[in-house]
Amino acid sequence: QGFFYRDTWAEVDLDHIRTNVEGIKEHLPEDVEFIAVVKANAYGHGDSQVAEAALEAGASMLAVAFMDEALALRKKGIAAPILVLGASRPEDVNIAAEEGIILTVFQKEWLGKAREVLKADSSLSLHIKIDTGMGRIGIRSIEELKSAEKLIHEDERLQLHGIYTHFATADELDDSYFTKQLALFREMLGAMETQPPVVHSSNSAAALMHTDARFNAVRVGIAMYGLAPSMEIAPELPVELHEAFTLHSRLVHVKKLEKGEKVSYGATYEAPEEIWVGTLPIGYADGWIRRLQGQEVLVDGKRSPIIGRICMDQCMVKLPYEVPVGTIATLIGSQGKESISINEIASKLETINYEVPCIISSRVPRLYRQNGKVVDLNNSLL
Ligand SMILES: Cc1ncc(COP(=O)(O)O)c(CNc2conc2O)c1O
């Protein structure tokens, strides 16, 4: 299972991933497929480990951001259907066809170029992306949808496997913009000659909060990781979610500072009185960025603030009292009655919870637990 030599690591509880998938599926009608969104290394949780857990728990398909992420999963032995949500190059279509990777198409010119490059006997599955108001990528007119549909149908190498759109405000209580997007998607669907097998529009927020937007598949990311799509709808979620990601370290140094002594670069922190200070081997190169100065971590079950500037590889915390070197610090997760959620880190950083596990860099090994036991470890350095 590999090892790591610096006592800083993330833990991913695969039972939580499974329970979250099962809980969300229970909330959906039987015939609605669960597409597990595992892009960005499964939002920093580990692409193949999350993919396997989600597939075991009932996901029937995976979704990633671009082709490299799909090929990485294939290299790790994942055989399930994978949809690339973002753009891909028409000249790369043969690799997708060979590897059973489904591509998203949203420009008729792309289809023209792809048909020039595609090998005679190959078969490429496509999902058409409709932009109903996200303003990112997608077909925006019925006319272009119909010509894309025609270009696909007249070429037996191309299979129209799905069509989808993406909501910009599904995680808000005000559903006016959402309603407009959904109506536009239905209008576009209605203009098609034949509807493809898979029609999907919902992300986590829509899958959980909008029963009228499920069609026959939903694309779930954030809720699968046990996080609420937004703080606004968090209190309204109909499914209990379990945060799968925690972050830990161990004190490598403990010392008593006299009043007036300084801590870290710029000597900006001055001990207001005699205090105990611990040093943790985690810094901004691990994604524990400098803005987290002042954030509390848990030491011996007590909230302990990060003092002084966060360094590249280390930071210092004000300890509640003297504790031994080697004491575990929990930066995200629980110790005793205390817990620090990803949401707390997100609000300290004035960002959204999605970003937090994504920015914990690959320099931090990921350790995987199942039934409380360590079942896998990914240390990208070794
Ligand atoms: C096209 C598409 N579908 C589904 C999802 C899953 O959304 P969820 O995690 O809210 O369930 C995303 C997430 N995309 C992004 C999440 O954060 N920034 C994004 O671009 C997406 O871009």
Side-chain angles (χ1 to χ4, degrees):
Q1 278 154 7
F3 200 71
F4 54 92
Y5 297 85
R6 171 200 49 171
D7 279 323
T8 292
W9 69 100
E11 292 195 14
V12 176
D13 187 325
L14 295 174
D15 295 332
H16 286 352
I17 299 288
R18 258 189 215 81
T19 316
N20 293 331
V21 172
E22 287 159 358
I24 296 161
K25 270 185 73 70
E26 262 155 48
H27 178 68
L28 300 169
E30 271 290 298
D31 61 347
V32 173
E33 297 293 326
F34 188 109
I35 302 172
V37 181
V38 292
K39 62 192 174 103
N41 194 27
Y43 295 24
H45 292 66
D47 56 353
S48 57
Q49 291 86 355
V50 169
E52 278 161 7
L55 292 165
E56 279 160 27
S60 54
M61 202 162 135
L62 304 169
V64 296
F66 49 83
M67 180 106 85
D68 308 62
E69 293 185 335
L71 293 169
L73 285 168
R74 285 281 182 263
K75 246 168 89 177
K76 293 172 185 171
I78 303 285
I82 305 175
L83 169 63
V84 172
L85 297 169
S88 42
R89 303 190 200 108
E91 50 269 27
D92 295 336
V93 289
N94 284 306
I95 298 155
E98 282 149 32
E99 294 293 338
I101 293 165
I102 305 166
L103 298 181
T104 289
V105 57
F106 50 91
Q107 291 154 355
K108 55 180 189 294
E109 302 75 9
W110 185 95
L111 282 166
K113 287 185 212 136
R115 285 174 56 173
E116 282 162 28
V117 172
L118 204 52
K119 287 189 189 118
D121 56 354
S122 59
S123 168
L124 175 67
S125 285
L126 297 168
H127 281 212
I128 290 180
K129 175 78 184 286
I130 304 291
D131 177 2
T132 53
M134 176 68 191
R136 197 163 59 175
I137 54 175
I139 285 176
R140 294 181 342 130
S141 74
I142 286 182
E143 175 265 332
E144 188 170 10
L145 170 57
K146 292 176 88 68
S147 61
E149 189 184 6
K150 185 171 159 301
L151 284 166
I152 294 170
H153 282 320
E154 67 191 19
D155 188 324
E156 80 286 347
R157 298 168 300 171
L158 300 177
Q159 326 301 330
L160 183 54
H161 180 256
I163 183 165
Y164 69 105
T165 195
H166 190 51
F167 294 119
T169 64
D171 62 351
E172 295 174 12
L173 291 174
D174 172 356
D175 66 0
S176 49
Y177 194 74
F178 168 86
T179 306
K180 273 195 221 113
Q181 286 196 257
L182 182 56
L184 186 48
F185 187 51
R186 287 195 196 289
E187 189 192 332
M188 304 282 267
L189 281 177
M192 296 187 79
E193 293 298 313
T194 45
Q195 279 202 7
V198 185
V199 178
H200 46 116
S201 70
S202 293
N203 53 9
S204 292
L208 293 171
M209 307 296 288
H210 296 279
T211 53
D212 53 351
R214 284 154 180 172
F215 299 98
N216 57 19
V218 293
R219 301 186 308 278
V220 175
I222 198 74
M224 169 171 65
Y225 302 106
L227 295 166
S230 71
M231 292 303 103
E232 191 179 348
I233 63 169
E236 319 286 329
L237 294 182
V239 175
E240 199 186 323
L241 299 174
H242 307 272
E243 234 172 277
F245 187 95
T246 57
L247 181 63
H248 312 270
S249 187
R250 283 184 189 274
L251 292 171
V252 293
H253 192 48
V254 173
K255 59 180 174 287
K256 186 163 70 174
L257 283 194
E258 301 305 324
K259 179 174 164 47
E261 289 192 283
K262 311 280 190 175
V263 173
S264 198
Y265 288 120
T268 58
Y269 179 84
E270 179 175 317
E273 76 240 320
E274 182 185 289
I275 58 169
W276 284 93
V277 172
T279 303
L280 292 172
I282 185 170
Y284 60 76
D286 300 302
W288 195 253
I289 58 177
R290 299 173 80 246
R291 250 184 107 135
L292 283 166
Q293 179 174 335
Q295 170 61 42
E296 292 167 331
V297 304
L298 300 178
V299 177
D300 200 30
K302 304 281 188 310
R303 285 179 164 268
S304 311
I306 293 170
I307 53 171
R309 289 182 184 159
I310 292 176
C311 310
M312 186 178 289
D313 320 301
Q314 302 176 92
C315 64
M316 276 58 80
V317 294
K318 179 174 170 296
L319 300 169
Y321 34 73
E322 183 181 7
V323 293
V325 165
T327 301
I328 286 187
T330 294
L331 289 73
I332 297 172
S334 306
Q335 280 190 5
K337 294 187 314 303
E338 279 291 350
S339 71
I340 293 176
S341 145
I342 281 179
N343 294 323
E344 178 175 339
I345 305 298
S347 65
K348 169 72 181 169
L349 293 176
E350 292 169 37
T351 185
I352 56 174
N353 54 19
Y354 292 71
E355 198 172 19
V356 175
C358 288
I359 65 171
I360 301 301
S361 72
S362 60
R363 192 168 86 153
V364 176
R366 265 69 169 176
L367 186 145
Y368 296 89
R369 279 192 193 284
Q370 204 156 276
N371 310 317
K373 287 201 315 298
V374 176
V375 292
D376 196 359
L377 180 128
N378 179 16
N379 181 350
S380 66
L381 290 170
L382 300 179

